[in-house]
Amino acid sequence: MTDPIKSLRTGPDAPPFLIAGPCVIEDRDTCLRIAEFLTRLTRKEGVPYIFKASYDKANRTSIGSFRGPGSDEGLRILEEIRREFGVPVISDIHSPEQAKSAAEVLDYVQIPALLCRQTDLIVAAAKTGKPVNIKKGQFLAPWDMENIVQKARSAGNGQVLLTERGTAFGYNNLVVDMRSMGIMKETGCPVIFDATHSVQLPGGQGNKSGGDRRQAPPLAKAAIAAGADGLFMETHFDPDNALCDGPNSVTFEMMEALLPQIVAIKAIVDGGGIA
Protein backbone atom coordinates (compact mmCIF):
# COMPACT_ATOMS: atom_id res chain seq x y z
CA MET A 1 0.00 0.00 0.00
CA THR A 2 1.00 3.66 -0.34
CA ASP A 3 0.84 5.82 2.76
CA PRO A 4 -0.42 9.38 2.63
CA ILE A 5 2.82 10.22 4.42
CA LYS A 6 4.81 11.91 1.68
CA SER A 7 4.33 8.90 -0.62
CA LEU A 8 6.34 6.59 1.64
CA ARG A 9 5.42 3.01 0.83
CA THR A 10 5.08 0.63 3.76
CA GLY A 11 4.05 -2.96 4.19
CA PRO A 12 4.96 -6.01 2.07
CA ASP A 13 7.31 -5.42 -0.86
CA ALA A 14 8.15 -1.88 0.29
CA PRO A 15 11.78 -1.07 1.06
CA PRO A 16 12.63 0.10 4.57
CA PHE A 17 13.03 3.86 4.79
CA LEU A 18 15.73 5.74 6.68
CA ILE A 19 15.68 8.89 8.79
CA ALA A 20 19.28 9.81 9.52
CA GLY A 21 21.76 12.59 10.07
CA PRO A 22 23.67 14.21 12.92
CA CYS A 23 21.91 14.61 16.25
CA VAL A 24 22.22 18.39 16.07
CA ILE A 25 23.20 20.90 13.42
CA GLU A 26 26.81 21.55 14.36
CA ASP A 27 27.54 23.74 11.34
CA ARG A 28 26.62 23.95 7.67
CA ASP A 29 29.60 22.03 6.29
CA THR A 30 29.16 19.09 8.68
CA CYS A 31 25.50 18.74 7.73
CA LEU A 32 26.22 18.95 4.01
CA ARG A 33 28.94 16.30 4.27
CA ILE A 34 26.67 13.89 6.15
CA ALA A 35 23.70 14.57 3.88
CA GLU A 36 25.80 13.96 0.76
CA PHE A 37 27.04 10.62 2.08
CA LEU A 38 23.63 9.39 3.19
CA THR A 39 21.88 10.54 0.01
CA ARG A 40 24.41 8.71 -2.15
CA LEU A 41 24.27 5.53 -0.04
CA THR A 42 20.48 5.33 0.19
CA ARG A 43 20.05 5.90 -3.53
CA LYS A 44 22.53 3.13 -4.22
CA GLU A 45 20.57 0.74 -1.96
CA GLY A 46 17.12 1.88 -3.11
CA VAL A 47 16.13 3.13 0.35
CA PRO A 48 13.86 6.20 0.71
CA TYR A 49 15.73 8.77 2.79
CA ILE A 50 14.81 11.71 5.06
CA PHE A 51 17.57 13.95 6.44
CA LYS A 52 17.34 14.63 10.17
CA ALA A 53 19.14 17.14 12.37
CA SER A 54 17.93 19.27 15.27
CA TYR A 55 18.34 23.03 15.10
CA ASP A 56 17.70 23.43 18.82
CA LYS A 57 18.19 20.57 21.29
CA ALA A 58 16.17 21.96 24.16
CA ASN A 59 16.37 18.78 26.26
CA ARG A 60 20.11 18.37 26.72
CA THR A 61 21.54 16.91 29.95
CA SER A 62 23.48 19.99 31.07
CA ILE A 63 23.03 23.75 30.83
CA GLY A 64 26.43 23.75 29.15
CA SER A 65 25.52 21.25 26.44
CA PHE A 66 25.58 22.42 22.82
CA ARG A 67 22.03 23.07 21.60
CA GLY A 68 22.54 24.00 17.97
CA PRO A 69 22.37 27.20 15.93
CA GLY A 70 18.73 28.03 16.70
CA SER A 71 15.71 28.11 14.45
CA ASP A 72 16.64 30.83 11.95
CA GLU A 73 20.08 29.54 10.98
CA GLY A 74 19.12 25.90 11.47
CA LEU A 75 16.10 26.06 9.21
CA ARG A 76 18.17 27.84 6.54
CA ILE A 77 20.64 24.93 6.58
CA LEU A 78 17.86 22.36 6.41
CA GLU A 79 16.29 24.21 3.48
CA GLU A 80 19.65 24.20 1.68
CA ILE A 81 20.01 20.45 2.20
CA ARG A 82 16.57 19.79 0.76
CA ARG A 83 17.36 21.96 -2.26
CA GLU A 84 20.91 20.66 -2.78
CA PHE A 85 20.23 16.94 -2.43
CA GLY A 86 16.55 16.65 -3.28
CA VAL A 87 15.65 14.91 -0.02
CA PRO A 88 12.93 15.72 2.53
CA VAL A 89 14.00 17.05 5.91
CA ILE A 90 12.76 16.54 9.47
CA SER A 91 13.51 18.25 12.76
CA ASP A 92 11.91 18.52 16.18
CA ILE A 93 9.93 21.30 17.80
CA HIS A 94 9.61 21.92 21.52
CA SER A 95 6.73 24.38 21.85
CA PRO A 96 3.47 25.02 20.02
CA GLU A 97 4.74 28.44 18.99
CA GLN A 98 7.52 26.85 16.91
CA ALA A 99 5.21 24.72 14.79
CA LYS A 100 4.12 27.20 12.12
CA SER A 101 7.54 28.64 11.27
CA ALA A 102 9.21 25.21 11.34
CA ALA A 103 6.58 23.75 9.01
CA GLU A 104 7.37 26.43 6.42
CA VAL A 105 10.68 24.60 5.85
CA LEU A 106 10.31 21.07 7.22
CA ASP A 107 8.71 18.23 5.28
CA TYR A 108 8.09 16.37 8.55
CA VAL A 109 7.64 17.75 12.06
CA GLN A 110 8.98 15.66 14.94
CA ILE A 111 7.82 15.50 18.55
CA PRO A 112 10.63 14.57 21.00
CA ALA A 113 10.08 11.55 23.22
CA LEU A 114 10.14 13.56 26.44
CA LEU A 115 7.33 15.78 25.09
CA CYS A 116 5.14 13.13 23.49
CA ARG A 117 2.25 13.64 25.93
CA GLN A 118 2.14 17.43 25.49
CA THR A 119 -1.31 17.84 23.95
CA ASP A 120 -0.93 21.44 22.78
CA LEU A 121 2.39 20.64 21.11
CA ILE A 122 1.02 17.63 19.25
CA VAL A 123 -2.10 19.46 18.13
CA ALA A 124 -0.06 22.45 16.92
CA ALA A 125 2.25 20.15 14.94
CA ALA A 126 -0.71 18.32 13.44
CA LYS A 127 -2.45 21.56 12.46
CA THR A 128 0.47 22.44 10.19
CA GLY A 129 -0.75 19.70 7.86
CA LYS A 130 2.74 18.22 7.70
CA PRO A 131 3.34 14.56 8.60
CA VAL A 132 4.19 14.29 12.29
CA ASN A 133 6.68 11.80 13.70
CA ILE A 134 5.97 11.20 17.39
CA LYS A 135 8.71 9.50 19.37
CA LYS A 136 7.47 7.20 22.11
CA GLY A 137 8.48 8.40 25.55
CA GLN A 138 10.95 6.26 27.47
CA PHE A 139 8.32 6.13 30.22
CA LEU A 140 5.43 4.81 28.11
CA ALA A 141 4.14 1.41 27.08
CA PRO A 142 3.68 0.95 23.33
CA TRP A 143 -0.11 0.72 23.67
CA ASP A 144 -0.13 4.14 25.33
CA MET A 145 0.65 5.65 21.93
CA GLU A 146 -2.92 5.11 20.73
CA ASN A 147 -4.12 8.04 22.85
CA ILE A 148 -1.32 10.21 21.49
CA VAL A 149 -2.17 9.32 17.90
CA GLN A 150 -5.75 10.35 18.57
CA LYS A 151 -4.56 13.78 19.71
CA ALA A 152 -2.95 14.36 16.30
CA ARG A 153 -5.93 12.96 14.43
CA SER A 154 -8.28 15.20 16.40
CA ALA A 155 -6.59 18.12 14.62
CA GLY A 156 -7.52 16.63 11.26
CA ASN A 157 -4.12 15.16 10.47
CA GLY A 158 -3.95 11.45 9.69
CA GLN A 159 -0.30 11.60 8.65
CA VAL A 160 1.29 10.25 11.81
CA LEU A 161 4.41 8.15 12.27
CA LEU A 162 5.49 6.56 15.55
CA THR A 163 9.05 5.94 16.66
CA GLU A 164 10.25 3.43 19.23
CA ARG A 165 13.40 4.62 21.01
CA GLY A 166 13.76 2.34 24.01
CA THR A 167 12.25 2.21 27.48
CA ALA A 168 13.79 3.32 30.77
CA PHE A 169 15.41 0.34 32.47
CA GLY A 170 16.57 1.52 35.88
CA TYR A 171 18.89 4.48 36.13
CA ASN A 172 20.89 5.73 33.10
CA ASN A 173 19.87 2.80 30.93
CA LEU A 174 17.36 1.78 28.27
CA VAL A 175 16.05 -1.54 26.99
CA VAL A 176 14.16 -2.35 23.79
CA ASP A 177 11.03 -4.50 23.71
CA MET A 178 10.72 -5.70 20.12
CA ARG A 179 7.03 -6.41 20.67
CA SER A 180 6.60 -2.64 20.50
CA MET A 181 6.82 -2.62 16.68
CA GLY A 182 3.78 -4.80 16.18
CA ILE A 183 1.80 -3.24 19.02
CA MET A 184 2.26 0.30 17.74
CA LYS A 185 1.43 -0.76 14.17
CA GLU A 186 -2.05 -1.62 15.45
CA THR A 187 -2.66 2.16 15.49
CA GLY A 188 -2.48 2.11 11.68
CA CYS A 189 0.63 4.29 11.71
CA PRO A 190 3.98 3.43 10.14
CA VAL A 191 6.47 2.48 12.85
CA ILE A 192 10.11 3.51 12.96
CA PHE A 193 12.84 2.13 15.17
CA ASP A 194 15.36 4.61 16.54
CA ALA A 195 18.39 2.35 16.76
CA THR A 196 20.84 4.93 18.06
CA HIS A 197 18.82 6.58 20.82
CA SER A 198 17.85 3.10 21.98
CA VAL A 199 21.50 2.39 22.87
CA GLN A 200 21.91 5.71 24.67
CA LEU A 201 22.78 5.81 28.38
CA PRO A 202 20.81 8.91 29.43
CA GLY A 203 22.92 11.11 31.68
CA GLY A 204 25.34 8.22 31.92
CA GLN A 205 28.45 10.40 31.88
CA GLY A 206 27.42 12.81 34.59
CA ASN A 207 26.89 16.04 32.66
CA LYS A 208 26.13 14.28 29.36
CA SER A 209 24.68 11.06 28.03
CA GLY A 210 26.71 8.02 27.12
CA GLY A 211 25.92 5.16 24.80
CA ASP A 212 27.22 2.12 22.94
CA ARG A 213 27.00 2.48 19.17
CA ARG A 214 28.15 -1.13 18.67
CA GLN A 215 24.70 -2.31 19.74
CA ALA A 216 22.78 -0.16 17.22
CA PRO A 217 23.20 -2.39 14.12
CA PRO A 218 22.01 -5.66 15.72
CA LEU A 219 19.01 -3.90 17.25
CA ALA A 220 18.21 -2.26 13.91
CA LYS A 221 18.23 -5.64 12.18
CA ALA A 222 16.04 -7.16 14.89
CA ALA A 223 13.54 -4.30 14.62
CA ILE A 224 13.13 -4.71 10.87
CA ALA A 225 12.63 -8.45 11.42
CA ALA A 226 10.01 -7.58 14.06
CA GLY A 227 8.03 -5.45 11.59
CA ALA A 228 9.41 -1.90 11.74
CA ASP A 229 8.80 0.04 8.53
CA GLY A 230 11.86 2.23 8.81
CA LEU A 231 14.89 3.18 10.87
CA PHE A 232 16.06 6.33 12.60
CA MET A 233 19.84 6.45 13.05
CA GLU A 234 22.05 9.33 14.08
CA THR A 235 25.06 9.22 11.78
CA HIS A 236 28.37 11.10 11.87
CA PHE A 237 31.74 10.83 10.12
CA ASP A 238 33.53 11.46 13.46
CA PRO A 239 31.07 10.56 16.24
CA ASP A 240 33.74 10.56 18.95
CA ASN A 241 34.03 14.29 18.41
CA ALA A 242 30.36 15.03 17.66
CA LEU A 243 28.80 17.83 19.69
CA CYS A 244 25.75 15.77 20.62
CA ASP A 245 25.05 12.05 21.15
CA GLY A 246 28.41 10.95 19.78
CA PRO A 247 28.68 7.73 21.84
CA ASN A 248 25.52 6.29 20.31
CA SER A 249 25.88 7.71 16.78
CA VAL A 250 27.01 5.31 14.04
CA THR A 251 29.93 5.91 11.70
CA PHE A 252 29.75 6.08 7.92
CA GLU A 253 31.42 2.68 7.75
CA MET A 254 28.83 1.13 10.04
CA MET A 255 26.00 2.55 7.95
CA GLU A 256 27.54 1.29 4.71
CA ALA A 257 27.73 -2.23 6.14
CA LEU A 258 24.27 -2.15 7.73
CA LEU A 259 22.00 -0.75 5.03
CA PRO A 260 22.27 -3.65 2.55
CA GLN A 261 21.60 -6.09 5.40
CA ILE A 262 18.49 -4.13 6.38
CA VAL A 263 17.17 -4.27 2.82
CA ALA A 264 17.80 -8.03 2.68
CA ILE A 265 16.09 -8.67 6.02
CA LYS A 266 13.03 -6.68 4.95
CA ALA A 267 12.82 -8.74 1.75
CA ILE A 268 12.91 -11.96 3.75
CA VAL A 269 10.25 -10.69 6.17
CA ASP A 270 8.04 -9.80 3.22
CA GLY A 271 8.48 -13.30 1.82
CA GLY A 272 10.43 -12.34 -1.25
CA GLY A 273 13.81 -13.70 -0.22
CA ILE A 274 17.07 -12.10 -1.26
CA ALA A 275 17.36 -11.08 -4.92
Side-chain angles (χ1 to χ4, degrees), residues 9 20 25 49 60-61 92 119 137 139 155 158 174 204 245 249 261:
R9 292 176 57 239
I25 295 174
Y49 172 53
R60 296 302 306 277
T61 301
D92 26 30
T119 302
F139 44 87
L174 299 168
D245 281 3
S249 297
Q261 296 174 346

Side-chain angles (χ1 to χ4, degrees), residues 84-139:
E84 177 74 17
F85 300 105
V87 297
V89 295
I90 184 172
S91 193
D92 26 30
I93 62 172
H94 297 85
S95 69
E97 295 74 25
Q98 294 176 342
K100 184 177 180 180
S101 59
E104 292 175 358
V105 172
L106 302 178
D107 297 285
Y108 297 75
V109 178
Q110 183 165 285
I111 305 297
L114 291 171
L115 299 178
C116 71
R117 285 171 55 107
Q118 297 297 102
T119 302
D120 291 345
L121 179 62
I122 294 167
V123 170
K127 283 184 175 179
T128 67
K130 295 296 178 75
V132 181
N133 180 31
I134 306 174
K135 304 190 81 173
K136 180 179 77 65
Q138 304 92 318
F139 44 87

